[in-house]
């Protein structure tokens, strides 16, 4: 099967940080179908060779194991080409059409990795140039809009020229091996399913913590913020994966129907819950890995008086039979104490205690931790009789148990066969598999749920709470969860 992949935004940050390295990995693994062309599109005046040189230079910055050798790069470079386009100029799409007609491919992937403001223009122009045939698939990067209304407007325009089957809304978290393992854990094994409900689960915590700041994306991030950048998409998709009902089969719509139901069941916000259960923060200067780092407001491209949040902690509930009353906590932020993304499922304590619990958060003894990054694996935390208790406790009181854990390291187990998130998703687009892509109704529902938070924060003069870089965010986040008598994992 031959394919053409047209990468709009071909010189942008995303192209060289994620998309090109992922395409190269797919190439290296021999999974890219034969007969492919990859065409970078941008405004810069570059020849094919200059574009290849640009990508080669960028590859020197990716991690060593993922860097191509000279020989590998020259083979990969044979697939690469470049087209200069002004994306608002219809005549330039005619040039693209001419290029595609030179060698008609079985599949044409249009990857729109541009500034979000251009998404609809690109889709409309693709259609106007007659490039939206049945072989065409369009990949749209997030964020798709900045609120429900703008998201709907984009979806409407895109749907007016393409069918839903042709639209691949990417959320790279869904491509992470650990997220697919969560589906495998839940729907390929029967062990946890009977426990996966309110009767046995006390709370669920989703953490996506980054050490990095806003890097070179200050201007974009300042008009976006953590709620739009991470919660509306990545964190809510993780929440869906953990809370959804078993789908009737593994088809894209069966999975997406179940995720949609979760989003529809999220408890609506009230003025009270918005005040108590939606915490925002913004990083101040601090130290990360022993190095001083600047405050968010001092980052390039950021307004020095910015009120944009770089940290969010939320508490919500899912109003259905499986989850009623179980708190779901979400937290994400930049410049936190570590790069750590995980989901923690905290089980209810034993109904009658004959032992003492050693943990600070004594109401949670058993937990299942699904690690997304930096490592990818599962931990099952239990309590056991520790060495100091060989005598069987004391005559004066109950023995204290020791925390122990079962550890499954998927990187070790599956090491060399692992496929990264973007690589996996790009191969899925080429193969036409929609399972790990987001449908428009899911996306709209997620916007509907976050919008009251955006509105409340816009009107709240207090602004985000400052937190020192290299910490776990503002103390209000711990206080929020402590009100339920729980704590975040690093505090237990
Ligand atoms: C992107 C956000 O979607 O995800 C970035 O725009 C964030 O701000 C990134 O840094 C995190 O992705 P990952 O895979 O590194 O956790």
């Amino acid at each position: 099967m031959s394919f053409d992949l047209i990468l709009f935004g071909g010189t942008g940050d995303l192209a060289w940080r994620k998309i090109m390295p992922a395409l190269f990995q797919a190439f290296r693994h021999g999974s890219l179908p034969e007969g492919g062309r990859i065409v970078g599109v941008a405004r810069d005046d570059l020849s094919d060779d200059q574009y290849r040189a640009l990508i080669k230079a960028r590859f020197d910055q990716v991690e060593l194991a993922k860097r191509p050798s000279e020989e590998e790069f020259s083979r990969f470079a044979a697939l690469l080409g470049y087209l200069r386009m002004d994306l608002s100029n219809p005549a330039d799409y005619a040039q693209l059409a001419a290029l595609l007609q030179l060698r008609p491919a079985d599949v044409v992937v249009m990857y729109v990795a541009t500034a979000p403001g251009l998404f609809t223009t690109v889709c409309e122009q693709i259609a106007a140039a007659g490039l939206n045939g049945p072989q065409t698939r369009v990949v749209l990067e997030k964020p798709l809009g900045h609120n429900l209304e703008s998201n709907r407007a984009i979806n409407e325009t895109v749907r007016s020229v393409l069918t839903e089957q042709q639209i691949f809304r990417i959320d790279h978290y869904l491509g992470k091996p650990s997220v697919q393992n969560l589906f495998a854990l839940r729907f390929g094994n029967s062990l946890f399913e009977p426990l996966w409900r309110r009767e046995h689960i006390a709370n669920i915590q989703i953490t996506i913590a980054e050490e990095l700041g806003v890097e070179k994306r200050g201007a974009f991030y300042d008009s976006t913020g953590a709620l739009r950048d991470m919660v509306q998409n990545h964190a809510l998709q993780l929440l869906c994966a953990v809370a959804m009902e078993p789908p009737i089969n593994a088809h894209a719509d069966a999975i997406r129907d179940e995720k949609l139901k979760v989003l529809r069941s999220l408890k609506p916000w009230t003025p009270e819950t918005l005040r108590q259960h939606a915490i925002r923060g913004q990083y101040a200067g601090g130290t990360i890995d022993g190095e001083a780092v600047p405050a968010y407001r001092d980052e390039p491209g950021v307004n020095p008086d910015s009120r944009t949040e770089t940290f969010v902690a939320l508490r919500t509930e899912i109003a259905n039979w499986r989850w009623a009353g179980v708190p779901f906590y979400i937290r994400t932020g930049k410049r936190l104490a570590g790069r750590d993304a995980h989901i923690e499922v905290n089980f209810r304590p034993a109904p009658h205690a004959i032992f003492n619990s050693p943990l600070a958060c004594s109401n949670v003894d058993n937990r299942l931790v699904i690690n997304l990054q930096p490592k990818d694996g599962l931990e099952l935390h239990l309590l056991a009789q520790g060495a100091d208790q060989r005598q069987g406790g004391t005559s004066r009181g109950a023995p204290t148990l020791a925390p122990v854990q079962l550890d499954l390291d998927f990187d070790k187990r599956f090491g060399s066969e692992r496929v990264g998130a973007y690589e996996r998703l790009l191969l899925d687009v080429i193969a036409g598999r929609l399972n790990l892509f987001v449908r428009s109704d899911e996306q709209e529902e997620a916007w509907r749920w976050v919008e009251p938070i955006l509105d409340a924060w816009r009107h709240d003069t207090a602004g985000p709470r400052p937190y020192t870089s290299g910490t776990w965010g503002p103390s209000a986040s711990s206080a929020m969860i402590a009100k339920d008598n729980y704590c975040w994992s690093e505090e237990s």
Side-chain angles (χ1 to χ4, degrees):
M1 182 195 66
S2 59
F3 75 92
D4 282 334
L5 192 149
I6 312 303
L7 180 54
F8 297 97
T11 54
D13 191 58
L14 191 70
W16 74 263
R17 266 195 325 125
K18 302 270 193 194
I19 304 170
M20 278 296 173
L23 286 167
F24 171 68
Q25 288 307 313
F27 173 77
R28 178 185 259 177
H29 293 150
S31 3
L32 266 192
E34 299 278 317
R37 284 194 304 183
I38 300 167
V39 181
V41 169
R43 291 181 75 113
D44 314 58
D45 218 345
L46 298 174
S47 67
D48 286 348
D49 277 343
Q50 283 169 327
Y51 185 61
R52 290 175 191 132
L54 186 95
I55 297 300
K56 183 161 188 292
R58 299 296 202 192
F59 274 171
D60 289 343
Q61 293 167 41
V62 305
E63 63 183 281
L64 202 57
K66 296 193 171 160
R67 253 180 243 170
S69 67
E70 288 288 328
E71 185 272 334
E72 279 178 320
F73 187 79
S74 63
R75 284 193 291 117
F76 179 64
L79 311 184
L80 293 182
Y82 181 78
L83 185 66
R84 184 192 177 283
M85 278 180 72
D86 169 354
L87 295 179
S88 53
N89 181 3
D92 287 5
Y93 290 82
Q95 271 187 49
L96 174 63
L99 179 82
L100 294 175
Q101 273 153 23
L102 280 181
R103 190 222 55 167
D106 299 328
V107 171
V108 179
V109 176
M110 308 274 189
Y111 196 130
V112 194
T114 60
L118 284 167
F119 290 172
T120 47
T121 311
V122 173
C123 290
E124 281 167 341
Q125 291 299 331
I126 287 172
L131 294 174
N132 58 341
Q135 76 285 13
T136 304
R137 293 169 193 156
V138 173
V139 184
L140 295 173
E141 263 295 339
K142 59 164 268 284
L144 222 59
H146 56 272
N147 58 12
L148 178 61
E149 193 188 346
S150 55
N151 175 259
R152 273 198 180 141
I154 295 175
N155 278 332
E156 261 165 41
T157 310
V158 174
R159 269 196 309 251
S160 70
V161 294
L162 298 158
T163 66
E164 191 66 36
Q165 297 300 312
Q166 293 178 288
I167 310 170
F168 290 71
R169 294 178 195 81
I170 211 162
D171 183 312
H172 77 279
Y173 266 65
L174 288 178
K176 289 192 187 274
S178 40
V179 177
Q180 285 151 65
N181 259 318
L182 174 57
F183 287 119
L185 172 83
R186 290 201 55 207
F187 308 130
N189 295 281
S190 59
L191 184 63
F192 286 106
E193 174 53 25
L195 305 178
W196 213 260
R197 56 194 65 248
R198 63 190 300 280
E199 288 80 359
H200 302 287
I201 292 179
N203 69 75
I204 294 187
Q205 303 180 10
I206 297 171
T207 295
I208 312 178
E210 295 184 89
E211 269 188 341
L212 292 178
V214 287
E215 306 284 281
K216 293 184 183 129
R217 299 157 75 222
F220 158 77
Y221 194 88
D222 209 30
S223 60
T224 306
L227 191 70
R228 292 186 176 97
D229 189 42
M230 298 296 284
V231 176
Q232 186 274 340
N233 33 73
H234 305 324
L236 285 182
Q237 286 294 327
L238 294 183
L239 181 137
C240 287
V242 86
M244 67 195 262
E245 293 299 316
I248 55 164
N249 56 38
H251 294 158
D253 278 333
I255 296 170
R256 301 188 302 180
D257 286 347
E258 295 306 336
K259 288 196 287 161
L260 177 63
K261 278 201 256 171
V262 174
L263 294 165
R264 285 191 177 145
S265 318
L266 286 171
K267 259 200 169 171
W269 294 100
T270 64
E272 183 59 16
T273 56
L274 283 167
R275 236 187 340 272
Q276 306 272 349
H277 298 152
I279 309 292
R280 60 179 163 155
Q282 186 189 74
Y283 64 81
T287 313
I288 300 262
D289 288 337
E291 298 221 348
V293 293
Y296 173 70
R297 291 180 178 189
D298 295 332
E299 298 275 17
V302 171
N303 176 349
D305 300 321
S306 172
R307 287 158 48 87
T308 299
E309 79 286 355
T310 61
F311 174 94
V312 177
L314 304 174
R315 178 202 191 278
T316 187
E317 289 178 26
I318 297 174
N320 65 18
W321 273 49
R322 188 186 284 267
W323 296 117
V326 177
F328 281 73
Y329 305 102
I330 293 174
R331 131 184 103 150
T332 184
K334 294 204 181 277
R335 288 282 190 232
L336 296 185
R339 177 169 186 250
D340 178 5
H342 66 262
I343 302 170
E344 190 171 293
V345 180
N346 289 306
F347 292 92
R348 292 192 186 281
H352 172 62
I354 61 166
F355 298 106
N356 288 326
S357 168
L359 303 173
C361 259
S362 57
N363 51 0
V364 171
D365 297 334
N366 296 150
R367 48 199 170 109
L368 177 72
V369 181
I370 298 135
N371 283 314
L372 280 79
Q373 59 200 27
K375 57 179 190 168
D376 169 12
L378 284 178
E379 292 165 18
L380 184 59
H381 293 248
L382 306 165
L383 293 182
Q385 183 81 45
D388 57 334
Q389 297 291 335
R390 258 178 242 139
Q391 308 310 319
T394 63
S395 55
R396 269 166 283 136
T400 299
L401 298 183
V404 290
Q405 75 190 60
L406 292 168
D407 222 332
L408 256 182
D409 183 334
F410 291 134
D411 291 321
K412 255 195 210 141
R413 171 64 182 79
F414 300 115
S416 56
E417 298 143 47
R418 310 241 80 190
V419 171
Y422 268 93
E423 179 182 354
R424 166 71 202 250
L425 295 174
L426 281 160
L427 291 171
D428 280 358
V429 179
I430 295 170
R433 276 191 298 267
L434 275 158
N435 296 31
L436 299 176
F437 293 84
V438 183
R439 211 168 51 192
S440 59
D441 48 5
E442 282 179 78
Q443 215 172 40
E444 287 176 20
E445 205 54 50
W447 274 117
R448 197 193 316 282
W449 187 71
V450 299
E451 204 160 59
I453 313 175
L454 290 170
D455 289 344
W457 286 353
R458 205 175 31 249
H459 295 115
D460 170 22
T461 49
R465 296 159 200 261
Y467 60 95
T468 307
S469 287
T471 66
W472 283 104
S475 57
S477 147
S478 302
M480 173 187 83
I481 187 164
K483 277 194 210 128
D484 293 338
N485 274 331
Y486 298 127
C487 55
W488 295 110
S489 52
E490 73 280 0
E491 297 164 347
S492 62

